[in-house]
Amino acid sequence: MPGVPAPAQVPSVPLAAAAAAAYVGLGGGLAGALCGALVQTTADPTYLGRVTSVSTFFTYALVPLSHPVTGAAVALRGTGPVYAVSAAVCATGGAAGLAFTVLRRAELPR
C-alpha cells in the first residue's frame, strides 16, 4: 500500500521512521539534483552565479528558518491549522508549476 497511509502498516516506529527518511531523502535528493541541473542549463551564463546564489539562499537559509516559525505557529494555533496552511502552500506551488508551460516542458539537454 504505497502513499501516505503506508507508514501506519509498518510494524514498528523505528522501521517506519527509517522508511520515511529513506523515501524523503531519495525523493528530495533527486528533486534537488534535477532542479540544480535545470537552473544551470536554463540560466543565462552571465547571470548563472546570481541565479545560483538566490536558489541557494532559499534552499539553505530560508527553509531552515521556517522550522522555528512552524514550531511557534504550532504552539500558538495547534497542528491542524498549521498543516492546513502548509498543505495550501504546497498545493499553490504545485499549481504554479503546472500553470506555467515553460516549467511543465523543461528538459535537460541530451
Side-chain angles (χ1 to χ4, degrees):
M1 174 184 274
V4 174
Q9 306 301 320
V10 179
S12 72
V13 173
L15 185 59
Y23 179 74
V24 170
L26 291 173
L30 180 60
L34 287 174
C35 181
L38 282 171
V39 164
Q40 289 182 358
T41 58
T42 58
D44 185 6
T46 56
Y47 294 107
L48 184 58
R50 293 177 184 166
V51 170
T52 303
S53 68
V54 170
S55 175
T56 303
F57 174 72
F58 279 100
T59 303
Y60 294 114
L62 290 184
V63 171
L65 290 177
S66 71
H67 296 286
V69 172
T70 302
V74 167
L76 187 65
R77 298 286 183 188
T79 55
V82 173
Y83 278 135
V85 170
S86 297
V89 169
C90 290
T92 303
L98 292 173
F100 294 105
T101 307
V102 175
L103 289 176
R104 282 196 321 266
R105 299 206 174 129
E107 290 185 0
L108 292 172
R110 296 181 192 270

